[in-house]
Amino acid sequence: MQIAEKRQIPNKSLSIRVCTDGLSFCVYSPTEEEPYKYVVYKVKPTISLAANLKAALNSEPILQSDYQRVNVLVTTPKFTTVPVVAFKSEDIVDVFNFNFPKEKPQHVSYNVLRRAGIAIIFGLEKNVYQLIRDDFPRARFYASSSTLIEYFAERSMFGKNKKMFVYLHESEMTLYCFDQGCLVFVNSYPVRTVDDCQYYILNVWQQLGLDQIDDMLFIVSDNDMREQLSTKISYFLNNVDVVDRREDFRHTITKGNSEIPYDLQTLLVCGF
């Protein structure tokens, strides 16, 4: 009797980034000279995100290979936090539906962040979730905010002042505030202009009682608003820093690749 050889899966990982109106894919091959291949899928705005994903799964060569690990990064404002001491996995659907009662049918997932002492509960459209599960049964799902909180928490440990991190991406802005590594605030806002960003930042800054002179604001961006925002908001806040991802990730496996979105780079370097 002939014994079939065990199929060898290449030492590669795939990361799928899903946002409200976009899809992108990143392959990490540690043995290659250029270890990262990043592809932005050109979505058709006239069809649903699920239909776009189905087309991508059937046509994109990057999605036809086998991978040792598949991570799915869900970049969404539809998430909520629960302290770990009060978290129960069996309650996640009820908690999500209480916070977002009018959403389309969602598959609800969670990430437990032990360092931050919280769980992130988030949703992904059920059709999109099932399509990914069908092709990649072992895929692991993470909220964008889970990876960013873990990364920013470590950065916020230095110094005694409080720190706010602004993440600008697509048509959204998410604010993360820390007091020496402890998360004290997180929320997402729809933004179209620099003035929108400035309004929300200064409003939260005032609500949290942050100090205009001593506390720090860090601006992280996947779009072109960062320099304008830095200039305008510096009239009100003393310590404003535009984060250079090449400097931020220079000692990591991504080396601050300018093509890869910031939240996806934090997923790759945080070891989720």
Side-chain angles (χ1 to χ4, degrees), residues 52-180:
N52 274 293
L53 176 60
K54 186 174 182 179
L57 289 167
N58 290 328
S59 63
E60 280 293 327
I62 202 172
L63 299 178
Q64 311 307 315
S65 299
D66 293 323
Y67 296 97
Q68 285 192 347
R69 185 180 180 108
V70 177
N71 291 329
V72 181
L73 186 69
V74 184
T75 303
T76 175
K78 304 298 190 300
F79 67 89
T80 191
T81 61
V82 177
V84 166
V85 293
F87 175 72
K88 295 180 180 179
S89 59
E90 60 268 26
D91 293 338
I92 61 173
V93 174
D94 289 338
V95 172
F96 182 85
N97 290 336
F98 178 80
N99 284 276
F100 307 104
K102 297 181 180 180
E103 286 303 300
K104 295 178 182 178
Q106 303 275 305
H107 177 84
V108 182
S109 303
Y110 68 92
N111 305 138
V112 176
L113 310 182
R114 298 293 179 187
R115 183 185 301 172
I118 61 172
I120 301 287
I121 299 173
F122 62 100
L124 177 61
E125 188 181 330
K126 275 190 175 180
N127 291 340
V128 173
Y129 173 84
Q130 196 56 55
L131 282 167
I132 295 173
R133 273 286 184 226
D134 289 345
D135 273 46
F136 304 105
R138 296 171 60 195
R140 302 183 183 188
F141 292 76
Y142 301 97
S144 168
S145 283
S146 296
T147 68
L148 290 166
I149 288 170
E150 288 285 271
Y151 188 72
F152 291 150
E154 187 171 346
R155 286 201 56 180
S156 71
M157 293 289 291
F158 302 100
K160 295 183 179 180
N161 50 3
K162 297 175 184 177
K163 298 171 181 67
M164 177 186 287
F165 294 84
V166 177
Y167 180 40
L168 296 165
H169 58 99
E170 284 81 39
S171 299
E172 298 168 9
M173 177 182 71
T174 309
L175 303 182
Y176 304 88
C177 300
F178 295 86
D179 186 354
Q180 291 187 291

Side-chain angles (χ1 to χ4, degrees), residues 209-228:
L210 300 182
D211 193 290
Q212 291 175 262
I213 303 300
D214 293 331
D215 293 330
M216 300 189 70
L217 179 75
F218 295 93
I219 301 172
V220 178
S221 178
D222 291 333
N223 58 42
D224 297 327
M225 286 200 289
R226 57 186 177 272
E227 298 297 342
Q228 268 188 293

